[in-house]
Amino acid sequence: MQDVYPNELSLWQKRGALLLDVRSPEEYALAHIPGSHNLPLERLLEHLAEFKGPIVTICATGSRAGLAAEVLSYEGLEVGKLVGGLQGYAAHGYPLAGRGTPTEATCS
């Protein structure tokens, strides 16, 4: 598992990385990184066979994304975790999609 800083995310995207947002669908609807896909952490194990690499995991601050990245890494996938999560990404001035703000999307 690698740490991916907000300014490095575009490099992973150019390599074809899946941006995997592991927050709840409600949190995702409020704010998310454009092009990311939502799969709540509690459903990750059900979908392990579907993943190829590389993958960058995302949540609001990094906690759930770290857990997801550990699981995916254990499965042998190339995985990065977005450092600072969605809040850190937005704090660096990168655009978000959704109907709310990143501070409304919490990470437990």
Side-chain angles (χ1 to χ4, degrees):
M1 174 180 61
Q2 300 175 37
D3 285 341
V4 177
Y5 292 90
N7 63 329
E8 299 171 330
L9 190 60
S10 64
L11 300 174
W12 281 71
Q13 287 177 293
K14 287 178 184 173
R15 294 181 44 228
L18 169 68
L19 304 184
L20 187 64
D21 191 316
V22 297
R23 297 173 301 140
S24 72
E26 296 80 17
E27 291 172 297
Y28 183 81
L30 285 174
H32 58 270
I33 295 173
S36 64
H37 299 274
N38 182 231
L39 179 65
L41 179 60
E42 59 271 12
R43 297 192 54 219
L44 183 65
L45 293 177
E46 301 168 27
H47 296 273
L48 282 179
E50 300 169 20
F51 296 114
K52 314 282 185 260
I55 299 170
V56 177
T57 58
I58 302 162
C59 73
T61 62
S63 300
R64 286 180 278 183
L67 292 173
E70 285 183 33
V71 168
L72 294 167
S73 180
Y74 182 78
E75 293 296 314
L77 296 165
E78 180 184 3
V79 139
K81 172 191 71 110
L82 183 62
V83 174
L86 192 69
Q87 292 177 5
Y89 184 82
H92 280 87
Y94 294 105
L96 298 175
R99 63 175 192 264
T101 64
T103 55
E104 294 172 358
T106 60
C107 185
S108 49

